[in-house]
Amino acid sequence: MTCLEPNADCDDMLKIVVMNDLHLVSPGSPSPNMDTTERFDLALQHAVQRHSDADLCVFAGDIADKGDAGAYAVFDRLRCQYEVPQCVTLGNHDDRTVYTSAATNFEMDPNGYIQCRRDIKGHCILVLDSSEPGRARGGFSKQKRDWIHAQLSDAKDLDLPVIVILHHNPSALQMPVDAYRLDEPDVLKAALLESGANIMQIVSGHCHISSAGSWSGIPCATIAGNHHSVEPFLRRRTGQQECYASSAEYGVVVSNGADCAVHFETYIGAQQAMDHALFPKKKDQTFEPMI
Ligand SMILES: [Fe+2]
Ligand SMILES: [Fe+2]
């Protein structure tokens, strides 16, 4: 049972929901090993119940499995049910040309890339378009970087901590999937570090696994997303890496400007709840006062 009550104490807390790797298909098309449309619908229903107070929902790429117009129509039809402000960016499975001609309610930078900026509750949120046609690892062209530079410079001048959300994970996970992480990651890293802005958190998808770590000192998290997820398959492992259809998650970023946390909300394969009587202190708990 979930209860969201008005609480002025939380009014200054930023909350961003991140949904990634939807891998939607056109109605009637073969689904990629699972019904990704049904799964996305469940994600949205879950977010409506738990996070109707979010300031922003970012759809962080691989919206469509095969970059087709029908999948983008499904995406637009379903996401309407989650009535919070939304941003979209694309991944390697998307097609920017098809998306911009078939989809609605998205924002482009002046060069036509699907990236945008939102300043909310004392934060600068940069939603970056790491997709590049024909390049699974994506990348950041000079045009994209020039736009990013301008936003970071502005965020620094305004003294806003920056939260970066993009599709491709830039940092290595020490897994085979690193062969597909963001191309030329040092190019983005240099843009972020040399800006002098306070890069508070990077959140990405693409690798289909939940993880947390850092990248030359910048905190990074990856969200497993809506499609299959993979097991941690670290160096020295051999043989088959397991892939799972039994779970799916979206991310929830919360920040007061100094403390930033990334949570992993499981909407498929949720844990079995234990008897409430075993944990009486978990009933009607209080929260630490907001700083
Ligand atoms: Fe994906
Ligand atoms: Fe991807």
Side-chain angles (χ1 to χ4, degrees), residues 21 23 62 91-93 167-168 206 208:
D21 294 280
H23 288 270
D62 282 0
N92 51 302
H93 280 254
H167 179 69
H168 292 80
H206 183 59
H208 291 219

Side-chain angles (χ1 to χ4, degrees), residues 22 45-46 52 55 68 73 85-86 99 103 106 114 121 124 129 137 149 168 187 192 203 213 219-220 252-253 289:
L22 311 182
Q45 290 175 34
H46 191 280
S52 58
D55 298 291
D68 55 315
Q86 299 178 357
Y99 181 74
F106 60 88
I114 312 300
K121 295 181 177 174
C124 171
D129 184 349
R137 297 183 62 173
H149 272 301
H168 292 80
V187 170
L192 296 173
V203 179
C220 290
V252 183
V253 182

Side-chain angles (χ1 to χ4, degrees), residues 57-289:
C57 176
V58 178
F59 297 103
D62 282 0
I63 306 293
D65 191 57
K66 298 200 176 344
D68 55 315
Y72 294 129
V74 170
F75 171 59
D76 278 344
R77 175 172 58 79
L78 289 178
R79 71 182 172 117
C80 288
Q81 66 188 284
Y82 189 33
E83 295 179 334
V84 304
Q86 299 178 357
C87 288
V88 180
T89 192
L90 303 179
N92 51 302
H93 280 254
D94 292 306
D95 184 311
R96 191 180 296 114
T97 304
V98 175
Y99 181 74
T100 53
S101 60
T104 59
N105 189 23
F106 60 88
E107 197 171 324
M108 292 189 291
D109 77 2
N111 298 307
Y113 295 110
I114 312 300
Q115 51 185 11
C116 61
R117 166 183 169 184
R118 294 283 186 278
D119 289 0
I120 307 173
K121 295 181 177 174
H123 300 73
C124 171
I125 298 127
L126 292 184
V127 179
L128 304 185
D129 184 349
S130 59
S131 66
E132 284 292 329
R135 291 172 56 186
R137 297 183 62 173
F140 284 97
S141 62
K142 182 170 185 318
Q143 274 191 325
K144 290 183 189 176
R145 293 201 309 276
D146 286 347
W147 181 86
I148 295 167
H149 272 301
Q151 311 315 313
L152 291 172
S153 172
D154 201 38
K156 181 170 184 271
D157 290 345
L158 294 170
D159 200 23
L160 297 176
V162 178
I163 296 174
V164 175
I165 302 172
L166 74 166
H167 179 69
H168 292 80
N169 56 300
S171 62
L173 303 180
Q174 309 308 332
M175 289 172 44
V177 74
D178 290 342
Y180 305 100
R181 71 174 161 131
L182 178 69
D183 199 18
E184 300 179 318
D186 288 348
V187 170
L188 178 63
K189 186 192 289 180
L192 296 173
L193 292 178
E194 291 169 10
S195 72
N198 172 12
I199 312 298
M200 180 178 239
Q201 182 72 53
I202 296 177
V203 179
S204 56
H206 183 59
C207 49
H208 291 219
I209 190 168
S210 15
S211 74
S214 63
W215 186 43
S216 293
I218 304 174
C220 290
T222 64
I223 313 296
N226 187 59
H227 199 201
H228 72 266
S229 59
V230 299
E231 67 164 330
F233 194 86
L234 306 184
R235 294 182 186 276
R236 298 194 179 91
R237 284 279 305 272
T238 58
Q240 176 80 37
Q241 181 180 14
E242 298 295 344
C243 296
Y244 307 117
S246 53
S247 65
E249 70 181 19
Y250 58 83
V252 183
V253 182
V254 286
S255 174
N256 61 7
D259 304 302
C260 181
V262 180
H263 294 273
F264 305 91
E265 274 279 26
T266 304
Y267 56 91
I268 294 175
Q271 304 276 21
Q272 178 88 35
M274 295 174 73
D275 185 346
H276 290 183
L278 294 171
F279 301 96
K281 289 182 180 174
K282 298 295 184 190
K283 184 172 173 57
D284 298 328
Q285 299 177 91
T286 56
F287 292 84
E288 183 181 55

